[in-house]
């Protein structure tokens, strides 16, 4: 493919209506939902915290006659900045969804057959406790797996797993951001925030902020970078909404961002444009870096990335000239390639050498706030080693979160020991892990599966017992402190009483704990828990304030530069920012990022890449009746050139096959993607008949994605699958 550098306006003209319309719809929907409070006679306005994605935006629920009528943004939150997105607004439909889980259920047919018996909570608890105890008696407590995704009540679930005696808690980070977090920690000793509001020059490697919403970054990109006319350079094999808004978009060859970054470093060092004082005072290993990047010329990188060398040189110069206010933005979902850690490390190093650390408009270490703790009765630490052998295989990874895909391999092989029970909280491994057939095998070999969810997810569909949690608008959750440039505390409180026979997670955990002989560890109420947390907050009358406002933010401007004193010790081995990392070297990894060209798909195949749209979160909101209006079925983006070669017409059904599975979905023939890759959204092709709008509609990418992971962090590598596309 030839090299393309697209000016945004030019592209919109040439691409016709589609890209523009999508951009307008998605960004427009942010604006549409932003303002407008309603009020009526008996109306109550109750502040709370949105739960529909990890951002934790502050919302104000308008309640009339016991019903949530509307959700408004709460301007007091500096992170969500008076914004509630389309999903946030549609949370109302989570409560009043006819498909939602309304009472506990026990499976009566075969797993996945969909035959359920509605039962009382006592029956559900007795059944699950009996099964968990049987597994514990036969195989030991370590034979139980406790998997979950972040959420305010996740703590109770994790504590149940630990007090049961299992070391095998596995969380979402190695499906999401483990490699980027580890790369920045390895370099700076911490994971910073990015001050987009004040930056002058931003480069983003596929961090699609106008659709993959992260607060405050998405708003800062609009209010900071766009309005101040700071420059945004965006690399993505797809023309996303962020590409449409960028000053320059490069459809980079997938998997080659590391080459682009190394060549930028090459140019900056060769031309002496790095921040010499900063490098000398705060970093270690610059000389090795200078030597190392000599090989990575812009001409070489052009061949790898398909971005013209002259543009790489110019971007490197502009970036270095913006200095402390230039940002190579980290991105969040870094579950891309098997060398993801090293790509993110190179970004961190590039940021370090222009001296943007702890500067206005640069990377800023997060300010934190203290919070009280509820003191519960402690239990003995689980004795067994983890089943995924994290410490041995991934010595630098966050052991407490586990390495999900390695864990699945070990569970399937039964080594180092068997896992026979699986408890799941707020997670859908059927759609969030690659290779669904493998996940199904893992399910098959379990003696017991219990799922706690608000809807009948595909994972719940294969469970033995389903515990319906109350929706977030129906419950009070633990207090959350959000570190950042503008740190804040948020509180989620009950807005309406549960309308069905559901319970908050704490009560589900307590019901199980009592029957497992672990009741004493959970002998408290949510009110006692949150009051203890309010205690150490730096807020006068914290409890009253949080109930009345739902959020508290430190006032005043961020204080930049606190760590910029020559005697400051970074939390790294040397106490400096580690450009060259001895720690990585000792663990057997490359101490400086080394480029290896990604394996290319053979002639008749395409690389499958993933991403998001602004109106769904992951795989879990396509059945929300309001959000469903935005998209009723997913499709496969394919470039017109290969489509023509294969005789594929826009809107026709195609089969998409990999070495592990095959799916059928509609083709979207579009110039908004490179010819060597295809793209599909996840969250469709559900197996659960209780997701009636999307059951068997469209396709799930989990069926065709193959298993691969990043070597250092263990993060899933979701963009390493090659697929064949043919008319169905
Ligand atoms: N194919 C593919 N896989 C991916 C990704 C991708 O883009 N494509 N993205 C990856 C990333 S970045 C991430 S973070 C992970 C996310 O992985 P998951 O957390 O598994 O993703 P979701 O689809 O959001 O599933 C969350 C589940 O929680 C349930 N839920 C929602 N609210 C509540 C609640 O209040 N209480 C309870 N108990 N349950 C609730 C939902 O109904 C849903 O079943 O997926 C990763 N996997
Ligand atoms: N609306 C919405 N917002 C969300 C979420 C959601 O589900 N929906 N999920 C939240 C979560 S948990 C996360 S982790 C974040 C994820 O947000 P991001 O970190 O922005 O990640 P994605 O949007 O999954 O993928 C980013 C882009 O990478 C591109 N890409 C693929 N391969 C390459 C490559 O080799 N090089 C480059 N340069 N680009 C490539 C894809 O085309 C895609 O557009 O979003 C968060 N915000
Ligand atoms: S970004 Fe949207 S879905 Fe996520 S917390 Fe904020 S309002 Fe809710
Ligand atoms: Mo994520």
């Amino acid at each position: 493919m030839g090299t393309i550098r697209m000016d945004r306006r030019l592209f919109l003209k040439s691409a016709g209506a589609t890209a523009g319309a999508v951009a307008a719809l998605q960004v427009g929907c942010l604006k549409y939902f932003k303002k407008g409070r309603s009020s009526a006679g008996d109306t109550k306005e109750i502040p709370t915290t949105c739960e529909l994605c990890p951002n934790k935006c502050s919302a104000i629920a308008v309640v009339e006659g016991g019903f949530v009528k509307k959700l408004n943004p709460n301007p007091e939150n500096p992170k969500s900045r008076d914004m509630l997105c389309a999903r946030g607004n549609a949370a109302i439909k989570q409560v009043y969804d006819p498909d939602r889980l309304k009472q506990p259920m026990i499976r009566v047919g075969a797993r996945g057959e969909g035959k359920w018996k509605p039962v009382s909570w006592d029956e559900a608890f007795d059944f699950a406790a009996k099964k968990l105890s049987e597994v514990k008696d036969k195989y030991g407590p370590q034979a139980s797996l406790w998997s979950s995704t972040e959420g305010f009540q996740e703590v109770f679930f994790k504590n149940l797993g630990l007090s049961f005696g299992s070391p095998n808690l596995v969380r979402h980070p190695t499906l999401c951001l483990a490699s980027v977090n580890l790369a920045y920690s390895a370099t700076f000793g911490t994971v910073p925030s990015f001050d987009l509001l004040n930056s002058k020059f931003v480069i983003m490697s596929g961090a699609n902020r106008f659709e993959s919403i992260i607060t405050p970054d998405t708003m800062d990109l609009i209010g900071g970078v766009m309005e101040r006319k700071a420059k945004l350079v965006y690399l993505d094999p797809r023309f996303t909404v962020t590409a449409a808004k960028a000053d320059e978009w490069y459809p980079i060859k997938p998997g080659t961002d590391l080459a682009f970054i190394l060549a930028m470093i090459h140019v900056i060092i060769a031309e002496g444009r790095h921040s010499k004082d900063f490098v000398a005072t705060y970093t270690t290993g610059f000389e090795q870096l200078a030597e190392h990047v000599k090989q990575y010329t812009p001409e070489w990188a052009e061949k790898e990335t398909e971005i013209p060398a002259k543009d790489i040189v110019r971007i490197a110069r502009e970036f270095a000239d913006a200095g402390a206010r230039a940002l190579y933005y980290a991105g969040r979902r870094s579950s891309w390639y098997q060398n993801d850690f090293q790509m993110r490390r190179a970004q961190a190093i590039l940021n370090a050498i222009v001296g943007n650390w702890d500067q206005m408009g640069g990377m800023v270490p997060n300010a934190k706030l203290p919070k009280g703790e509820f003191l519960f009765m402690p239990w003995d630490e689980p004795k067994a080693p983890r089943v995924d052998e994290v410490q041995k295989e991934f010595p630098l990874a966050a052991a407490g979160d586990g390495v999900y895909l390695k864990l699945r391999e070990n569970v399937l092989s039964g080594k180092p020991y068997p896992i026979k029970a699986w408890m799941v909280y707020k997670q859908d491994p059927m759609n969030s892990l690659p290779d669904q057939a493998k996940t199904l095998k893992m399910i098959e070999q379990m003696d017991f599966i219990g799922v706690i969810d608000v809807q009948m997810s595909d994972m719940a569909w294969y469970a033995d017992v389903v515990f319906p949690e109350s929706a977030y608008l129906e419950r009070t959750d633990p207090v959350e402190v959000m570190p950042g440039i503008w740190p804040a505390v948020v509180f989620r409180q009950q807005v309406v009483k549960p309308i069905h026979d559901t319970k908050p997670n704490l009560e589900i955990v307590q019901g199980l704990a009592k029957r497992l002989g672990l009741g004493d560890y959970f002998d408290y109420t949510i009110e006692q828990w949150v009051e203890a947390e309010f205690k150490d907050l730096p807020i006068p009358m914290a409890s009253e304030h949080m109930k009345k406002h739902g959020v508290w933010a430190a006032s005043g401007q961020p204080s930049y530069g606190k760590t910029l004193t020559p005697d400051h010790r970074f939390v790294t081995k040397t106490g400096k920012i580690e450009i060259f990392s001895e720690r990585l070297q000792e663990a057997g990894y490359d101490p400086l990022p080394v480029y290896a060209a990604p394996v290319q798909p053979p002639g008749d195949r395409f690389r499958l890449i993933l991403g998001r749209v602004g109106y769904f979160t992951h795989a879990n909101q396509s059945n929300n009746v309001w959000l469903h209006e935005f998209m009723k079925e997913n499709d496969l983006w394919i470039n017109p050139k290969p489509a023509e070669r294969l005789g594929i017409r826009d809107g026709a059904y195609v089969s998409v096959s990999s070495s592990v599975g095959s799916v059928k979905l509609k083709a979207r023939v579009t110039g908004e993607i490179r010819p060597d890759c295809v793209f599909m959204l996840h969250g469709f092709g559900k197996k659960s008949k209780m997701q009636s709008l999307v059951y068997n509609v469209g396709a799930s990418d989990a069926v065709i994605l193959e298993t691969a992971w990043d070597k250092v962090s263990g993060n899933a590598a979701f963009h390493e699958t090659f697929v064949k596309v043919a008319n169905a």
Side-chain angles (χ1 to χ4, degrees), residues 196-239:
L196 290 167
L197 194 61
N198 297 302
S199 58
K200 281 192 181 153
F201 192 112
V202 180
I203 307 180
M204 290 184 159
S205 263
N208 184 13
R209 273 308 144 269
F210 282 91
E211 295 177 89
S212 306
I213 298 169
I214 301 276
T215 57
D217 300 7
T218 300
M219 285 87 90
D220 285 353
L221 206 56
I222 301 171
V225 175
M226 310 289 311
E227 279 178 16
R228 285 187 304 100
K229 313 252 182 298
K231 193 157 178 177
L232 175 62
V233 171
Y234 183 70
L235 318 181
D236 196 315
R238 290 192 304 136
F239 186 75

Side-chain angles (χ1 to χ4, degrees), residues 177-187 258 261 334-349 396-397 578-579 581 583-585 587 589-594 709-717:
L177 43 58
S179 59
V180 70
N181 279 358
L182 193 59
Y184 278 79
S185 317
T187 314
L258 178 55
I261 301 162
S334 48
S335 44
W336 289 10
Y337 299 96
Q338 292 177 66
N339 70 341
D340 223 290
F341 169 85
Q342 293 295 2
M343 191 273 266
R344 313 285 161 177
R345 259 278 285 166
Q347 294 177 357
I349 291 170
L396 304 183
E578 296 192 344
I579 291 175
S581 166
R583 220 170 124 239
L584 282 172
Q585 194 172 42
Y589 305 119
D590 291 328
L592 285 167
V594 174
W709 57 73
D710 169 71
K711 292 173 204 70
V712 186
S713 62
N715 212 20

Side-chain angles (χ1 to χ4, degrees), residues 358-379:
D358 210 355
Q359 302 274 1
M360 182 189 232
M363 297 190 308
V364 186
N366 288 319
K368 298 187 175 110
L369 296 169
K371 177 176 84 168
E373 261 181 63
F374 182 83
L375 296 179
F376 49 80
M377 203 170 106
W379 46 81

Side-chain angles (χ1 to χ4, degrees), residues 544-570:
E544 290 76 5
H545 179 98
M546 293 309 291
K547 286 172 190 161
K548 190 160 168 223
H549 295 262
V551 57
W552 180 87
S555 59
Q557 282 304 305
S559 54
Y560 302 103
K562 269 198 190 137
T563 59
L564 294 180
T565 55
D567 56 349
H568 175 78
R569 270 196 74 80
F570 289 82

